[in-house]
Amino acid sequence: SFTDPSVSMELLRAVLQPSINEEIRGVFNKYMKFFQTAAINVRDNVGEEVDPEQLIQETCRSCLEQAKLLFSDGKKVVPRLPHEQAVPKRARQMDEELSRRGSPVPKKRKGRPPGQSLSNDRGVSGMAAWKLKVSEPVRRDGPKWDPSRLTETTTFVLGSRANKALGMGGTRGRLYIKHPHLFKYAADPQDKHWLAEQQHMRATGGKMAYLLIEEDIRDLAASEDYRDSVDLRLEELKPFIPPAWMTEKMQRHMETLRRGGGDGPPPEDPPE
């Protein structure tokens, strides 16, 4: 009954989109080991302020933007992510040339094929336990995601301390990548001021911190993955009860996430 070609095609797209999305996830899973290795190496070279998870997410979005060139009619300009504006002209030309050929990578490429193991590469040891699960969406339901569980007596811990308590040392982003289901709240300037005043963290200027629910971390510590670990240091948690106004903000944040809102760019934990 539709006479508008665009409407007809859009209906077909809507029907096929779930299958297309699933196949796209499969493609990204195929190359995820490369992104993970590179992100960890960047963090090792640049410093702990680098969040590997954020780098990987940005790279995946950039891949999707560049893939649009495969279907460009030659007139429309594909928008680039902000960091791509600084890419040298030669690199951009190579990108566009490869897109016209329909190949995402040069045919004569040195190195391992996507399916080959990277287990001996620098920075990859132990990554299997906490690699990103692109094909598994984060579930934000159940009693742990009920905002009513956050009361004026609920205790919280800093993300940096939770990492140490679970034996992850200074690798602060590792906890969030390995356990993306955890509720975490990024402290805003007002929150950080209170945390610094109460000596829960140092005054760190523009740096940010995550707050996690102590109960969630202790549940993790009691799980099969951690309970027998010799690196478990629960005395590092040093839990605290935030003021009511901060708890209310965390309740609203939990409700937003539960309804499908995004986390936003992941901030880093402050130095201890």
Side-chain angles (χ1 to χ4, degrees), residues 198-272:
Q198 302 299 314
Q199 299 183 340
H200 296 303
M201 60 177 278
R202 295 178 182 175
T204 55
K207 292 190 176 182
M208 298 184 71
Y210 272 136
L211 272 62
L212 296 95
I213 302 170
E214 181 194 10
E215 180 186 8
D216 291 350
I217 303 304
R218 291 194 178 275
D219 286 349
L220 274 181
S223 68
E224 186 177 349
D225 290 341
Y226 295 98
R227 62 187 174 213
D228 297 323
S229 172
V230 296
D231 297 320
L232 208 59
R233 299 284 186 273
L234 294 182
E235 67 275 8
E236 290 283 352
L237 287 177
K238 302 191 185 307
F240 57 88
I241 298 177
W245 52 264
M246 192 186 300
T247 302
E248 289 172 4
K249 284 195 289 187
M250 288 189 276
Q251 286 176 329
R252 292 194 295 269
H253 183 59
M254 179 180 282
E255 182 63 32
T256 298
L257 293 178
R258 189 174 68 157
R259 292 184 177 181
D263 279 301
E268 64 190 62
D269 280 308
E272 293 299 319

Side-chain angles (χ1 to χ4, degrees), residues 28 57-72 77-84 95 99:
F28 277 97
Q57 295 292 337
E58 288 177 351
T59 301
C60 291
R61 288 195 294 269
S62 180
C63 288
L64 291 172
E65 288 294 334
Q66 288 302 310
K68 291 180 183 179
L69 290 171
L70 296 172
F71 306 99
S72 173
V77 178
V78 177
R80 292 179 176 272
L81 297 177
H83 69 273
E84 290 187 88
D95 246 354
S99 295

Side-chain angles (χ1 to χ4, degrees), residues 147-159:
S148 65
R149 73 180 289 225
L150 304 185
T151 68
E152 294 185 5
T153 60
T154 303
T155 51
F156 290 82
V157 297
L158 289 176

